[in-house]
Amino acid sequence: MGDSGGLSRTRDTAPGPLPRAREGARPPAARTGLILAAVCLSQLIVALDISVVNVALPAISRDLGFSAGSLAWVVNAYTLVFGGLLLLGGRLADLFGHRRTMVAGLLLFAVASLLGGFAQTPGQLIAARAGQGLAGAVLAPIGLTVIMVTFAEGPARTKAIGTWATVAGSGSALGVLAGGLLTDLLSWRWVLLINVPLVAVALPLALASVRDRPAGERPRLDVLGAVLGTLAMTALVYGVLGADRHPWGSARTVSVLGAAVVLAVAFVLWERRCPAPIVRLGILRGRAVWLSNVNALLVGAAMVSGFYLASLFLQDVLRYSPLEAGVAFLPFCCGAIGGSVAGMRLVKTVDRRLLIVGGLLLAAAGMVWFSALDTSSTFTGGFLGPSLVASVGIGLSMVTNTYMGTSGVAHHEAGLASGLLNAARQCGGSIGLAVLSTVAVTAGRASAGAGAGAREALAAGYGRAFLVTGALALAAALLTALALPRARPAGDGARPEKA
């Protein structure tokens, strides 16, 4: 942190390993426990809000009068702003201090959640969800950043990252469960208002344990880079979401997607010349870093879309109530936690390539299995099996991939590394949800046109989308198998792969 001025001196000039910053004195063990509790609870709040509204979507649509085409923006408004601004959020932690950033993110989350819980129109709710996304972009990167500067590299950091990744991996599945319980027992408004008491617990933990490191010279924030990146993502998702109403070759779709490409190119060009870029592009030259981020992008697309599609399948096709749909996700929560715990332990003794590829293959198999569900499927005979297989695979691969993407990164770039990984996961979720919602709608219409009933058409559309999620996880597995060399396990005292 004290060398944050080095951000401008190490732009793209060092293709080799990143320098290791000198580590300050570690906090006492009692405080490290509180620190880990604070960052994990903050991550839980962020992860819950990615999926907690999924089960409540039908109730939200009825109450506020959403159209079918605009309902997905209740999810996308959060993930889009979140993913677009995560890199800037990671830099805030590096520049303004860990405690200040965490406290600001928690307070902003509480305010946005209150506004969303009392929303009276679709526009108000979407705006509040965007506010939650902004708060999440500030809050999410701080977790990994604090872990990387608090815990010494080795078994202690591996365990801390594993705990954090377990919360990240299981939190989204737990969000579906919590969404069902709150919607059925109270009201859909409580899927937003529940964040207020969670913040009330996390805030004093953060104030009591997390410290701001002394800061040296602070470079300017790359606001233009954040704006260009967010606009590029917005145009991309907006163009894909509209493809179910405007063909891919239509002037509207082509122009919007073309604008996304232009904005993305402008973002890269600006980052190359900016004296204090939001993304030092040289960090992506390390194989471990770029591979972990590509994996996070693909798995984020599969995971976020999978939760969204599965929760709608349970309610729209199998006619589950919100409570029943939420409870149906309990095995998924348990599987994700089990896979994460297994990954946290095995990464110390097993080749990380084997763990990541094995987990991704399980995730792909589970998603393809989901595609076989139809109107006659039952929970035990249909939904349970793929839930367990996919969740264990996601948990196993996420822990190992997170460790790979953060190992060996210099302390003054801890926020950048964690921001990149979170941004890749959330951008993947936004793009994946947009694409797969379009796939589901298009396939469902084709099935209805062929004479299928309403429920059968919905099942066919969701089935086609699940196949695509399986393909995304399989692509990540193949890429990892080809690109990642064998390495000694993380816990055997070996130096991590060069980043």
Side-chain angles (χ1 to χ4, degrees):
M1 284 295 299
D3 190 30
S4 54
L7 292 174
S8 60
R9 298 194 299 270
T10 58
R11 287 173 57 215
D12 268 323
T13 58
L18 295 175
R20 292 176 181 272
R22 288 178 309 194
E23 299 184 10
R26 302 287 176 186
R31 189 155 69 83
T32 60
L34 290 178
I35 290 172
L36 187 59
V39 299
C40 284
L41 183 54
S42 298
Q43 179 60 32
L44 178 63
I45 294 171
V46 173
L48 281 174
D49 272 74
I50 296 172
S51 60
V52 72
V53 302
N54 287 353
V55 176
L57 288 175
I60 291 172
S61 179
R62 290 191 301 268
D63 196 9
L64 297 186
F66 275 88
S67 65
S70 64
L71 187 59
W73 281 99
V74 176
V75 177
N76 272 326
Y78 180 86
T79 56
L80 183 59
V81 176
F82 188 13
L85 293 177
L86 262 170
L87 296 177
L88 182 61
R91 275 302 189 233
L92 291 175
D94 286 337
L95 302 178
F96 296 124
H98 300 161
R99 183 160 78 163
R100 293 188 190 96
T101 305
M102 182 175 288
V103 169
L106 287 168
L107 291 175
L108 184 56
F109 228 115
V111 172
S113 298
L114 278 172
L115 294 175
F118 292 104
Q120 300 299 314
T121 66
Q124 290 175 1
L125 180 58
I126 290 174
R129 288 287 288 167
Q132 286 184 317
L134 175 59
V138 173
L139 191 58
I142 191 66
L144 275 178
T145 304
V146 170
I147 285 173
M148 290 171 66
V149 300
T150 299
F151 296 89
E153 190 161 328
R157 184 183 294 180
T158 301
K159 183 177 180 180
I161 288 177
T163 303
W164 181 92
T166 298
V167 173
S170 59
S172 294
L174 185 61
V176 181
L177 172 61
L181 292 171
L182 294 169
T183 301
D184 224 32
L185 299 179
L186 297 172
S187 162
W188 67 262
R189 297 183 181 278
W190 277 96
V191 303
L192 297 127
L193 296 174
I194 189 62
N195 289 314
V196 178
L198 291 176
V199 168
V201 176
L203 193 58
L205 279 175
L207 290 171
S209 62
V210 180
R211 297 288 185 268
D212 290 327
R213 291 196 166 200
E217 180 187 353
R218 290 173 176 173
R220 293 180 295 108
L221 287 177
D222 182 13
V223 177
L224 179 57
V227 171
L228 288 173
T230 303
L231 289 177
M233 279 294 304
T234 303
L236 177 60
V237 174
Y238 184 70
V240 174
L241 273 177
D244 65 327
R245 299 182 302 278
H246 305 277
W248 289 102
S250 67
R252 177 192 178 279
T253 300
V254 170
S255 61
V256 173
L257 295 180
V261 172
V262 171
L263 288 165
V265 171
F267 170 76
V268 173
L269 293 176
W270 170 252
E271 294 304 284
R272 290 185 63 84
R273 65 184 295 268
C274 179
I278 193 172
V279 179
R280 186 182 68 83
L281 298 178
I283 197 174
L284 295 173
R285 293 175 182 168
R287 177 162 30 193
V289 175
W290 72 255
L291 180 59
S292 64
N293 278 273
V294 172
N295 281 346
L297 183 80
L298 294 173
V299 175
M303 185 173 67
V304 172
S305 303
F307 290 145
Y308 179 81
L309 295 166
S311 61
L312 291 183
F313 181 91
L314 289 171
Q315 294 182 86
D316 294 343
V317 177
L318 300 186
R319 300 290 193 252
Y320 279 31
S321 69
L323 176 60
E324 291 170 333
V327 172
F329 266 85
L330 188 57
F332 205 112
C333 299
C334 296
I337 293 172
S340 298
V341 171
M344 183 168 55
R345 294 178 177 177
L346 293 174
V347 74
K348 303 174 185 178
T349 56
V350 179
D351 178 14
R352 68 186 62 173
R353 180 174 66 173
L354 179 62
L355 292 178
I356 295 175
V357 172
L360 290 171
L361 288 176
L362 282 175
M367 292 299 178
V368 172
W369 193 353
F370 271 126
S371 70
L373 300 179
D374 57 27
T375 56
S376 63
S377 296
T378 63
F379 173 73
T380 55
F383 194 81
L384 178 60
S387 293
L388 291 173
V389 172
S391 61
V392 170
I394 289 172
L396 185 64
S397 61
M398 275 189 63
V399 167
T400 315
N401 192 68
T402 301
Y403 185 86
M404 179 176 70
T406 55
S407 296
V409 175
H411 280 196
H412 70 270
E413 291 193 311
L416 173 59
S418 59
L420 276 172
L421 207 56
N422 277 292
R425 187 181 299 116
Q426 300 309 324
C427 290
S430 295
I431 297 170
L433 183 58
V435 171
L436 291 167
S437 295
T438 302
V439 168
V441 170
T442 303
R445 286 176 180 170
S447 181
R455 289 176 64 206
E456 288 76 11
L458 285 171
Y462 292 142
R464 180 69 58 83
F466 278 127
L467 279 177
V468 178
T469 64
L472 292 171
L474 180 60
L478 292 175
L479 179 63
T480 302
L482 294 173
L484 186 64
R486 290 183 59 84
R488 284 190 291 170
D492 65 356
R495 286 176 62 88
E497 293 178 41
K498 292 180 179 181

